[in-house]
Amino acid sequence: MSASSLLSIATLDAEWRVRTLLPLAMGWSEILGRLVRDEGGWVALIQRRPDPGTPVPLPDDILFTRALLRSLRPLDIGLADHIIATGQERFSFRDAGLL
């Protein structure tokens, strides 16, 4: 995963609309605590890359997404999508069949 990417976890409501945006920079243990307290059930990983760039996932992006899925499963939290955005371009792991 690119060091210049900004990563956030979005908590989602029942219609998969963003309720809260939690930057990964705040620390995984704090994020997990908030996810468990929130009892939302679904989250999305939002990754922003600098423009110009490509939203196509790198091998590290795919590995990170799979690790996140494994970490969330025991908490009964689903990963709705991993979106990579750069400029006006977007890549959706769900749309690409990677989730």
Side-chain angles (χ1 to χ4, degrees):
M1 187 156 338
S2 169
S4 59
S5 290
L6 299 174
L7 291 165
S8 299
I9 298 231
T11 61
L12 307 176
D13 66 12
E15 285 80 37
W16 286 13
R17 294 178 299 222
V18 175
R19 290 180 4 192
T20 315
L21 203 55
L22 307 169
L24 281 184
M26 69 190 299
W28 187 240
S29 60
E30 184 177 346
I31 289 173
L32 278 178
R34 289 181 74 174
L35 292 178
V36 169
R37 282 190 307 273
D38 188 44
E39 298 179 6
W42 288 96
V43 298
L45 182 62
I46 310 298
Q47 181 178 355
R48 299 185 196 282
R49 291 187 181 155
D51 192 26
T54 176
V56 175
L58 302 170
D60 284 350
D61 298 323
I62 296 168
L63 290 172
F64 181 76
T65 302
R66 289 179 180 160
L68 182 60
L69 274 167
R70 285 190 304 273
S71 297
L72 295 173
R73 191 172 293 129
L75 303 172
D76 202 27
I77 297 172
L79 183 61
D81 207 344
H82 175 172
I83 302 291
I84 301 175
T86 182
Q88 295 299 312
E89 295 185 73
R90 306 280 183 274
F91 181 91
S92 163
F93 276 59
R94 181 158 300 279
D95 290 348
L98 296 173
L99 288 181

